[in-house]
Amino acid sequence: MNQQTPQLAVSARHFGVLLSPTPRGARLARRLATAHLLAWDMPPRTIETAEQVTAELAANAATHGRLSGRDFLLELRRSEDGRVLRIEVTDTRGDRLPGLNPQLPPPDAESGRGLLLVEVLADRWGVTSGPVPRKTVWAELNLVRAASPLRVNMPN
């Protein structure tokens, strides 16, 4: 871990922080995401989903994207129209891209399910390469759901 305070960038629609590519950094990513989504008054279900997606992407960055002395970047972004939450994790192992069609590991495997969870939980996800040597794994959650049916009170 770099021996300095994490660098934060915060606004009403964007949050970003550099974290160490360690299990501790991955846990901190999840906790910081939760804190900022609560501050943004996101619904509990959105926060729960975003927590899990952030945890999986950060754990992958700490496990597969780790290079000694190089942090990973967690960013949360709300679209201007407020309809989409985008979670991005950027690491410095652009040479190791995850497959976009994750396969179910054998039942006795102890790992290998993270991107399957992301695929199930997120409305969209993908990988963006560059600039060298980086890659960004991102996931988007739609924030606007179909309106509930109109309730009409009928007289008895």
Side-chain angles (χ1 to χ4, degrees):
M1 178 174 157
N2 292 351
Q3 297 301 322
Q4 60 188 32
T5 304
Q7 298 173 12
L8 300 175
V10 184
S11 77
R13 287 194 338 258
H14 175 257
F15 165 75
V17 62
L18 287 170
L19 298 163
S20 65
T22 62
R24 182 183 221 179
R27 283 191 305 274
L28 185 55
R30 181 180 181 154
R31 295 177 108 176
L32 289 169
T34 301
H36 283 277
L37 295 174
L38 282 167
W40 288 347
D41 291 324
M42 292 284 178
R45 180 166 277 185
T46 299
I47 293 172
E48 290 171 11
T49 301
E51 277 180 325
Q52 188 64 48
V53 169
T54 300
E56 297 302 336
L57 297 182
N60 282 350
T63 303
H64 306 293
R66 180 182 182 141
L67 278 177
S68 182
R70 296 202 179 161
D71 295 336
F72 73 89
L73 174 64
L74 166 68
E75 292 186 277
L76 306 175
R77 299 175 192 278
R78 288 191 316 183
S79 62
E80 284 200 33
D81 62 8
R83 294 176 181 251
V84 176
L85 172 66
R86 184 175 174 107
I87 302 162
E88 297 181 353
V89 174
T90 302
D91 65 49
T92 54
R93 290 299 305 261
D95 59 320
R96 299 185 74 184
L97 299 176
L100 292 179
N101 296 311
Q103 303 297 310
L104 189 62
D108 59 343
E110 294 182 12
S111 64
R113 294 169 183 83
L115 288 178
L116 286 170
L117 287 171
V118 171
E119 186 168 288
V120 168
L121 294 171
D123 293 296
R124 290 163 300 286
W125 77 278
V127 181
T128 305
S129 294
V132 172
R134 298 176 190 92
K135 74 169 174 300
T136 300
V137 182
W138 55 268
E140 292 181 340
L141 306 177
N142 293 335
L143 300 177
V144 178
R145 303 289 180 220
S148 57
L150 180 63
R151 287 189 154 169
V152 177
N153 291 329
M154 300 296 287
N156 292 337

